Amino acid sequence: MDAAFKALADPSRRQLLDRLRDRNGQTLRELCAGLDMARQSVSKHLAVLEAAELVTTVRQGREKLHYLNAAPINAITERWISRFDRERANALADLKTALEQPTMASDSTTFVYTTYIRTTPERLWQALTDPAFTRRYWGVSFGTDWTPGSPMTWTETGATTEDPEQVVLVHEPHRRLAYTWHTFSTQWAEANGIDEELRARLAGERRSRVTFDLAPEGDRVKLTVTHEFGEAATLQSMCSQGWPAILSSLKTLLETGEPLA
């Protein structure tokens, strides 16, 4: 947390984070464009932001894409803002945004979130795949043999969702897991209090996919979640708000034995 505060104290680093907020997933070259900073200076600032876990990177071919990582900010929020105060803070922030600037839309179709969990790759893998774990911090359980290409059933709040395109994509134990997102069925919507208008919008979007990358770092495991959407629309907005809470609960469960309330 100290590293995050130190990184945020520099206006140039805040400027880089602002650019990633406006358009996530940029290369070093793209981030340098239009800045009154040498490429070497931008690289040094990005290194500080990465060390503070405020920026995470994903390799795409020969390029390295930079993504704004909300985990440290989320940790600050969890530490100093109570649930009641968070609702008031969100309301005031929404009002401030509405009054001061027009709505800004990001053209990025990828959500990336990195968190560090004090556990082992084996234990984290179990938490991502074992229904006994997933139900505790996520409220979801999966039915599958985890073989790439195999179908997956999703059970959430008593509703089970099945679809031929709801499948496992990658299964590399303790390293990488990927699958397509669930189908937005009428049963799922009714069980989760989703109205038909919203369900229809979600169902009309191209199916997304999520990938979990695990990398051991000392007594911790670096978990990077990459959710790729077919378009920047309704599901992207919902998942971008939902993933931080899910992953914070996962981290708390593994480190303390209890998920977030």
Side-chain angles (χ1 to χ4, degrees):
M1 201 170 288
D2 289 343
F5 281 121
K6 182 177 179 180
L8 290 169
D10 186 278
S12 294
R13 291 195 280 272
R14 294 198 300 272
Q15 184 180 13
L16 288 171
L17 292 177
D18 285 339
R19 290 172 71 97
L20 290 175
R21 176 202 60 196
D22 295 342
R23 185 168 70 84
N24 228 351
Q26 296 189 58
T27 63
L28 175 60
R29 175 179 53 80
E30 290 171 327
L31 284 169
C32 289
L35 288 179
D36 188 22
M37 275 191 283
R39 183 185 179 93
Q40 185 177 13
S41 297
V42 174
S43 294
K44 289 181 178 179
H45 284 309
L46 287 172
V48 173
L49 290 169
E50 283 191 64
E53 302 172 17
L54 288 161
V55 166
T56 190
T57 60
V58 175
R59 284 284 179 184
Q60 190 174 86
R62 298 174 63 182
E63 294 186 319
K64 184 165 74 169
L65 303 182
H66 299 79
Y67 289 89
L68 178 63
N69 183 40
I73 304 300
N74 191 58
I76 292 170
T77 301
E78 292 293 337
R79 178 168 177 174
W80 281 301
I81 303 180
S82 70
R83 179 170 299 178
F84 174 70
D85 287 334
R86 185 179 304 123
E87 293 302 319
R88 294 193 300 176
N90 288 341
L92 290 171
D94 290 343
L95 176 61
K96 182 176 185 292
T97 299
L99 293 175
E100 294 185 350
Q101 63 185 37
T103 301
M104 297 174 61
S106 170
D107 59 0
S108 173
T109 57
T110 303
F111 171 83
V112 178
Y113 191 99
T114 296
T115 187
Y116 292 79
I117 304 175
R118 202 171 300 281
T119 188
T120 64
E122 294 78 13
R123 187 70 167 165
L124 178 52
W125 185 263
Q126 184 183 14
L128 293 172
T129 57
D130 186 340
F133 271 90
T134 58
R135 279 194 296 266
R136 292 190 67 191
Y137 67 87
W138 193 348
V140 173
S141 60
F142 306 110
T144 181
D145 63 9
W146 293 112
T147 302
S150 291
M152 296 179 67
T153 60
W154 289 55
T155 301
E156 182 180 4
T157 54
T160 298
T161 307
E162 299 180 72
D163 191 277
E165 295 183 9
Q166 205 171 281
V167 297
V168 179
L169 299 172
V170 180
H171 182 267
E172 300 174 10
H174 315 144
R175 293 184 60 250
R176 171 173 276 204
L177 178 69
Y179 46 81
T180 57
W181 205 240
H182 69 81
T183 303
F184 300 102
S185 66
T186 301
Q187 292 80 5
W188 170 84
E190 290 175 350
N192 288 279
I194 304 295
D195 62 49
E196 177 56 24
E197 180 183 356
L198 175 55
R199 188 206 69 81
R201 286 207 310 271
L202 291 167
E205 297 177 3
R206 282 177 289 175
R207 190 180 297 271
S208 63
R209 58 176 284 169
V210 63
T211 302
F212 302 85
D213 286 298
L214 290 66
E217 294 196 4
D219 63 346
R220 303 186 302 172
V221 180
K222 177 183 178 183
L223 173 64
T224 299
V225 177
T226 305
H227 199 143
E228 300 168 89
F229 304 90
E231 54 199 298
T234 307
L235 179 60
Q236 182 197 27
S237 176
M238 292 175 66
C239 288
S240 296
Q241 296 177 48
W243 272 124
I246 292 170
L247 296 172
S248 291
S249 191
L250 166 62
K251 175 180 170 70
T252 303
L253 173 60
L254 287 173
E255 293 185 345
T256 70
E258 292 294 332
L260 292 176

